[in-house]
Amino acid sequence: MLRLENLSCGYGPVVAVEDVSFDLPAHSSLALLGPNGAGKTSTIMAIMGHTTIHGGRILFNDQDITRLPPVKRVDLGIALVPEGRRLFTDLTVEENLTVGGYRLSVQRDKINRQRVYDLFPRLSDRRKQTAGSMSGGEQQMLAMGRALMTEPKLLLIDELSLGLMPKMVDLCFDALAALKQEGVTILLVEQNTARALDFAENVCVMTSGSLAFSGTSKQAKADENLFDVFISAAHE
């Protein structure tokens, strides 16, 4: 479904990611791991269309989307749950979901909204509550729900568990597992390495803007040197 071919990207003239290539098959999941500053967020922001492309290509279902505007990528079926959630904190749960589904018909909005509430019953109970007054875990659920309102085929998630209580982390990963069962393809950036390796079938590890490892989760768990990559990169 997704292919990065020798992707180099950044912000203006600054190159943050260089020569990164990987494939993500449809109906599968990939964990993008690495220390802070490794280029993980820049990579998924490039997939979403929010960085400057310096080289390489991004293909989605065999279509070259390298220069496509972000809104067109959403229409194709790509959605982002950004780091820090970035909700409209003064709007209610329902209003945030409305923003997520504004390009769809009223009927599709209603169906997708119920899908979100079925996946996250807490949100259904808090429909009229403002996003800014909710807990971090509830806000993460809402950020995921807002992305799901676009009916994504590919869901990009940046730091799912960051700052969340363990119970909320469990609930969010349970929701991801349910989405994977539905056939949604998932690209997950995550600092909780153990949870990410347990969830995703495939793994890429980045350091200093480049790929240091690409393979299956089983291969990653068996690689005794992989943890050393994180340690050495953290001290560069």
Side-chain angles (χ1 to χ4, degrees):
M1 175 175 284
L2 177 70
R3 170 171 291 178
L4 271 58
E5 295 180 347
N6 306 112
L7 177 70
S8 296
C9 67
Y11 305 92
V14 178
V15 177
V17 171
E18 191 165 9
D19 199 29
V20 167
S21 299
F22 62 77
D23 290 336
L24 177 55
H27 313 305
S28 69
S29 56
L30 184 147
L32 190 58
L33 308 178
N36 290 333
K40 306 183 300 297
T41 293
S42 297
T43 298
I44 65 169
M45 293 299 274
I47 296 168
M48 202 68 236
H50 294 306
T51 62
T52 302
I53 304 299
H54 293 280
R57 296 198 304 166
I58 304 171
L59 302 177
F60 181 69
N61 286 331
D62 295 324
Q63 178 179 344
D64 190 337
I65 64 169
T66 311
R67 307 294 174 182
L68 209 61
V71 67
K72 297 299 183 182
R73 303 184 195 211
V74 173
D75 289 340
L76 287 176
I78 305 175
L80 171 66
V81 181
E83 181 181 359
R85 301 177 280 273
R86 300 187 186 182
L87 297 169
F88 297 96
T89 55
D90 292 336
L91 300 184
T92 65
V93 167
E94 282 196 333
E95 289 167 339
N96 270 275
L97 294 180
T98 297
V99 171
Y102 83 99
R103 291 176 65 81
L104 300 177
S105 67
V106 173
Q107 182 181 11
R108 296 307 306 170
D109 179 279
K110 182 178 180 179
I111 292 172
N112 294 333
R113 192 180 299 264
Q114 189 57 52
R115 179 193 184 196
V116 171
Y117 289 148
D118 289 342
L119 189 63
F120 299 114
R122 283 173 180 254
L123 297 184
S124 180
D125 295 338
R126 292 160 174 75
R127 298 182 189 206
K128 301 301 182 182
Q129 186 172 338
T130 59
S133 66
M134 300 168 70
S135 71
E138 292 164 347
Q139 288 183 9
Q140 187 64 283
M141 293 175 184
L142 181 54
M144 294 171 66
R146 181 181 59 184
L148 292 175
M149 291 294 294
T150 69
E151 301 181 347
K153 300 179 181 71
L154 171 63
L155 186 61
L156 312 174
I157 306 178
D158 196 359
E159 300 294 3
L160 176 71
S161 68
L162 186 65
L164 301 188
M165 305 249 330
K167 182 178 180 180
M168 287 299 187
V169 173
D170 290 341
L171 290 174
C172 288
F173 269 100
D174 287 346
L176 276 193
L179 292 172
K180 188 161 67 170
Q181 285 292 321
E182 292 178 10
V184 178
T185 306
I186 298 171
L187 175 54
L188 173 68
V189 170
E190 179 58 54
Q191 289 288 343
N192 189 329
T193 303
R195 291 301 297 261
L197 290 176
D198 286 341
F199 170 76
E201 304 99 289
N202 306 294
V203 179
C204 287
V205 178
M206 296 186 68
T207 59
S208 303
S210 300
L211 275 185
F213 174 91
S214 181
T216 66
S217 295
K218 185 177 180 179
Q219 290 170 333
K221 291 177 181 179
D223 190 334
E224 296 179 355
N225 298 318
L226 191 58
F227 186 70
D228 293 337
V229 171
F230 287 91
I231 297 298
S232 61
H235 289 84
E236 286 181 356

